[in-house]
Amino acid sequence: MSKITAILVLIFQFAFTFIVIFCIYMLFALLDNDLGFDGIFGLFVMQPIIGIVISVLTVIVCCIFGLPIRLNKKLNHWWTTNFYISIIGTICGLILLFIALIPNCSETATIIIDEQETLKQIPNSTLSYIGWFLTAFSLLHIYPTKQLTEKIKI
């Protein structure tokens, strides 16, 4: 793969992963919204800012954990040859995120609002974290097949 193709693939991987992870974050924020003025303000002003920060940090962490895939030639060759592992990982991560939202798997949290304790159903945190990072890592490390990169050859 030429250097320009490798850089374009890297930029695409980072951008696509960021967009998908940010959309997942905003979906979770939307499902958690209680509406009202504070909820609307938080959803449209604060949540996107927090979502951008968390998505960027997630992509950086997944990139650091995936450095061996990018730097080790043998591991990189194996990973790019078996590209379906990333696709399976992405699907599994998305399934875990979906399962975390199912009411039977959700958790009950005690939240203090205006000095009053209330119970609230929240997505299963363990499944959410595992699904979040599995999806991000797998999306960030999906490489195009050798046949596709040979056709592109920039």
Side-chain angles (χ1 to χ4, degrees):
M1 191 171 1
S2 71
K3 289 190 186 257
I4 294 174
T5 306
I7 291 171
L8 289 175
V9 167
L10 185 67
I11 290 170
F12 178 78
Q13 287 172 326
F14 276 60
F16 186 70
T17 302
F18 171 78
I19 291 168
V20 170
I21 293 298
F22 178 75
C23 290
I24 291 170
Y25 179 86
M26 289 305 295
L27 176 66
F28 270 69
L30 182 64
L31 293 174
D32 186 45
N33 191 15
D34 292 331
L35 295 178
F37 179 74
D38 292 342
I40 297 292
F41 177 77
L43 182 64
F44 292 113
V45 177
M46 296 305 295
Q47 289 296 342
I49 294 169
I50 295 168
I52 289 170
V53 170
I54 289 175
S55 297
V56 167
L57 289 174
T58 300
V59 170
I60 290 170
V61 167
C62 289
C63 184
I64 290 170
F65 279 107
L67 275 177
I69 294 172
R70 296 184 185 278
L71 299 177
N72 186 328
K73 282 194 179 255
K74 287 183 181 181
L75 184 58
N76 185 288
H77 177 71
W78 181 84
W79 190 266
T80 54
T81 304
N82 299 310
F83 65 93
Y84 56 86
I85 293 173
S86 293
I87 296 170
I88 292 170
T90 302
I91 293 169
C92 289
L94 292 172
I95 289 171
L96 287 173
L97 288 169
F98 177 75
I99 292 172
L101 294 172
I102 295 175
N104 291 341
C105 296
S106 64
E107 301 172 345
T108 304
T110 303
I111 299 174
I112 299 174
I113 300 176
D114 296 330
E115 298 180 11
Q116 292 181 349
E117 289 187 2
T118 56
L119 297 176
K120 185 172 184 173
Q121 290 293 110
I122 60 171
N124 187 311
S125 57
T126 304
L127 292 176
S128 297
Y129 298 147
I130 293 171
W132 174 268
F133 282 107
L134 183 61
T135 302
F137 183 86
S138 297
L139 281 175
L140 188 61
H141 296 93
I142 290 178
Y143 289 93
T145 62
K146 296 288 184 195
Q147 296 86 4
L148 184 62
T149 56
E150 293 298 321
K151 287 181 184 177
I152 294 174
K153 280 283 184 174
I154 295 176

